[in-house]
Amino acid sequence: MASSLRKPLIAGNWKMHLTLAESVALAKAVKDGSANAPGEVAVFAPFTALSVVAEVLKGSPVRLGAQDLHWETHGAYTGEVSANQIKDVGCQMTLIAHSERRRLFHETDENVNKKLKAAFAAGLVPVLCVGETLEEREAQRTFKVLQTQLEEGLKGFAPAALAPLVIAYEPVWAIGTGKTATPDQAQEAHLFIRKTCARLYGEAWASGLRILYGGSVTPENVDTLMAQPDVDGALVGGASLKVPGFIRIIQFQLPAGAKR
Ligand code: PEP
């Protein structure tokens, strides 16, 4: 269901791309291109670029996020970065459980749950990524997979603690493949996610929960995706690295008669 409580959010995931100079240039372009955008805007930069991008975005409404975090606050965890460190460098947000982390780096739902707790404890807004593989979709297991990822990832929270959470539905078969989910497929999955969240933590929270779609979002398909009543934004990979395309995505336009 559409809700005016849910401010749209368009977020760019830069993954393992860009030098410092390229990151600064892209952040400046995103900042300038976000003026009068219909929703909020965020960029998830590589750890190495967070400091310089934070400087560029200082004082602007564009939010900055990291792409992952470790659940411990500090300690002997070589190569890891904690929620407090992410906050300290100037981030307001963090991705958790991107499908590349789940698939390539063996992210488990148990660790996802710990990372969510760490993000909330540090005052970061987590974007929890969920989504099925092509094999799972073809075996009619999409809803089962989403249900498990949500039930396990969101286990054991006080409902009030979850207030800032954002969820990104990212079907693995659509990420970086050029195969976007149809608006109907996205809407069906988003509605299922919202209903599952309502069952787990109540209708009041779920009706205000922002659910982003991710998977080959482009300037050409963003408007029809955003017109779906339960699509509250987009998590954009490849297309977020290109200006002016990403600016067009940020400045999405709802078709006449759209339900949201
Ligand atoms: C992503 O990495 O979160 C993503 C959605 O990538 P792409 O837009 O390139 O499919």
Side-chain angles (χ1 to χ4, degrees), residues 13 15 98 100 170 174-177 214-217 235-239:
N13 174 12
K15 309 195 185 191
H98 189 280
E100 286 150 18
E170 297 210 305
I175 296 180
T177 59
S216 298
V217 174
L235 181 55
V236 187

Side-chain angles (χ1 to χ4, degrees), residues 19-33:
T19 61
L20 291 188
E22 289 164 345
S23 300
V24 165
L26 183 54
K28 280 185 182 148
V30 170
K31 183 168 92 168
D32 294 344

